[in-house]
Amino acid sequence: MPDWVQIAIRAISLLALLFLFTKWLGMKQLSQLNIFEYITGIVLGGIVAIHVSTLESPLYYGLISMFIWFIVPYLVEFFSLKSKAFRDATQGKSRVVIQNGKIMEDNLKKEHYSTDDLLESLRDKNIFKVADVEFAVLEPTGKLSVLPKRENRPLTAKDLGIKLAPDHEPQTVIMDGKPLLEPLANLSLNPTWLETELEKMNVSIENVFLGQVDHNGQLTVDLYDDQLAIPSPTQMPLLLATMKKCQADLELFALATENENAKKVYQRNSEKLQNAINHVSSYLQ
Amino acid sequence: MTVGSQVKTLYASIKGIEATLSILAAQTNEADSRDAFRNTQQMINEIKHDLEKQVLLLAREEPQYNQ
């Protein structure tokens, strides 16, 4: 067998083997690897590189060493899943570097983390003042996780006590001009509904590049022809506007009429309608 | 516009709101939103009944506009 055929056979078989090994090891992204997994990856790659570029060492040598470098990390990972102590030993523990707003100098020293490194990591999180930090942990991957003090955290709807309507992921129902039946069925809608909605928008399905339906059943589309203007869903904003208009009308009638009885009716209903608006407005936005 | 026709227009708008709410309640697949739409629809329904009486009352007061 000529040398080049041997090389080709080695390259193909080791490539397949390396692919399977890395898959079985469940390799994460490069930045998420701990040091052990990182070395394993490099060594496996190195073994393959040596055996596909020269014929000096026999193929089975490579297979043996690759197998060992595969099975040991595999077992380590297996036992890490079972035992917390083992996991701490192999993958490292996260270490608290700032607690209650105070820097833990000893822990920094243990991790060989200098003050500059700490400041750099904090700046990476857009924090320029150590006093703004309540709690910070150095993860085994070398990343710093930071919890800012309460007043420095971004404001959320919860802080403001605003009740928001629940939101679910939208379903893509049209792709490249073709309806997708499974997502439609997930929303308990049918193709006839889709046709009706498209007709309302005055577009044909062949012209739709992408169409999505949100959890309220509102369809939004993107067309191939970008010159065409498509109406955005108006049903819900329109409803809210109509409700507000009616409420204003009722108030107006209440002011305009001189009949005491009618005034009461209008006022009562105006209040009722205002209640209804408050009740539903967060769902209509 | 007479008062009667103004109230009638409002009555029609309220009916429209009720119908839209029931469409939305049927369309959404989120239990929370559905409940909210249904409850609002109930409220609007009460308003509708109140206004209906008012429309009839006004129709009796302004019979000359009833043709």
Side-chain angles (χ1 to χ4, degrees):
Chain A
M1 200 160 24
D3 286 353
W4 68 268
V5 175
Q6 281 198 45
I7 290 277
I9 290 170
R10 284 181 173 208
I12 290 166
S13 53
L14 288 180
L15 187 73
L17 199 62
L18 190 66
F19 178 75
L20 289 176
F21 279 2
T22 43
K23 244 189 134 149
W24 284 330
L25 280 176
M27 286 296 182
K28 299 154 205 148
Q29 272 203 323
L30 209 56
S31 59
Q32 289 172 341
L33 294 180
N34 66 32
I35 191 71
F36 189 57
E37 291 165 333
Y38 189 65
I39 292 172
T40 308
I42 292 176
V43 170
L44 278 176
I47 295 169
V48 170
I50 291 169
H51 286 87
V52 298
S53 52
T54 68
L55 290 173
E56 277 158 27
S57 73
L59 183 59
Y60 68 91
Y61 279 16
L63 292 179
I64 289 168
S65 58
M66 264 182 92
F67 181 72
I68 290 171
W69 273 92
F70 161 71
I71 201 71
V72 172
Y74 189 80
L75 289 176
V76 165
E77 225 166 71
F78 180 78
F79 287 116
S80 306
L81 280 176
K82 303 272 172 202
S83 142
K84 165 89 177 131
F86 194 76
R87 189 159 61 230
D88 286 346
T90 55
Q91 302 188 346
K93 260 164 99 171
S94 54
R95 211 181 279 272
V96 178
V97 292
I98 299 180
Q99 196 164 33
N100 298 331
K102 293 184 183 69
I103 301 176
M104 310 268 110
E105 292 83 2
D106 294 341
N107 284 351
L108 275 183
K109 225 173 264 169
K110 275 182 209 154
E111 291 290 333
H112 304 289
Y113 214 67
S114 75
T115 323
D116 281 322
D117 292 334
L118 179 68
L119 287 175
E120 190 188 324
S121 302
L122 285 176
R123 282 197 295 270
D124 206 32
K125 307 252 170 207
N126 266 331
I127 294 170
F128 288 80
K129 216 166 128 189
V130 180
D132 287 348
V133 180
E134 168 70 27
F135 184 73
V137 176
L138 195 60
E139 306 291 357
T141 49
K143 272 193 179 163
L144 194 70
S145 301
V146 182
L147 178 75
K149 283 191 178 147
R150 192 79 211 233
E151 65 267 29
N152 295 314
R153 266 178 250 167
L155 203 57
T156 59
K158 196 174 142 198
D159 293 328
L160 294 171
I162 299 173
K163 195 174 165 282
L164 293 176
D167 199 1
H168 285 309
E169 79 284 4
Q171 298 275 1
T172 304
V173 294
I174 306 174
M175 223 181 248
D176 305 318
K178 288 184 190 66
L180 302 177
L181 296 179
E182 202 187 306
L184 267 179
N186 283 346
L187 294 164
S188 50
L189 297 169
N190 56 28
T192 322
W193 174 86
L194 194 62
E195 275 167 33
T196 321
E197 287 296 307
L198 288 172
E199 226 163 80
K200 270 195 228 164
M201 289 180 179
N202 204 11
V203 294
S204 65
I205 193 159
E206 292 80 33
N207 197 11
V208 179
F209 176 61
L210 195 75
Q212 291 187 309
V213 176
D214 69 8
H215 62 285
N216 281 321
Q218 308 279 308
L219 177 72
T220 47
V221 294
D222 184 85
L223 302 182
Y224 281 111
D225 187 351
D226 290 327
Q227 304 301 318
L228 281 179
I230 28 164
S232 55
T234 50
Q235 197 178 28
M236 295 168 91
L238 199 66
L239 176 64
L240 194 59
T242 318
M243 284 175 89
K244 282 181 181 162
K245 183 188 169 287
C246 287
Q247 199 266 337
D249 275 352
L250 278 168
E251 261 178 35
L252 214 65
F253 293 167
L255 286 176
T257 184
E258 279 165 12
N259 182 338
E260 277 305 315
N261 238 338
K263 203 187 256 291
K264 258 183 221 157
V265 171
Y266 292 140
Q267 247 161 12
R268 191 179 61 225
N269 282 316
S270 149
E271 275 160 28
K272 265 190 201 167
L273 192 51
Q274 186 59 52
N275 273 343
I277 292 171
N278 292 344
H279 186 73
V280 84
S281 65
S282 72
Y283 293 91
L284 292 179
Q285 274 152 7
Chain B
M1 266 213 298
T2 65
V3 172
S5 65
Q6 278 177 344
V7 176
K8 255 186 203 160
T9 316
L10 178 67
Y11 176 61
S13 301
I14 293 282
K15 274 210 285 204
I17 292 173
E18 199 196 359
T20 315
L21 279 169
S22 74
I23 290 173
L24 286 174
Q27 249 176 14
T28 184
N29 53 358
E30 167 61 50
D32 241 35
S33 309
R34 190 157 45 233
D35 286 348
F37 290 139
R38 289 242 171 92
N39 289 338
T40 318
Q41 198 194 331
Q42 280 293 322
M43 294 182 201
I44 301 289
N45 195 24
E46 284 167 27
I47 299 171
K48 192 183 82 179
H49 284 308
D50 250 16
L51 278 179
E52 197 173 3
K53 279 176 217 152
Q54 197 64 24
V55 167
L56 290 175
L57 209 72
L58 285 169
R60 228 173 299 147
E61 279 175 18
E62 299 175 348
Q64 66 273 35
Y65 297 108
N66 243 355
Q67 275 88 39

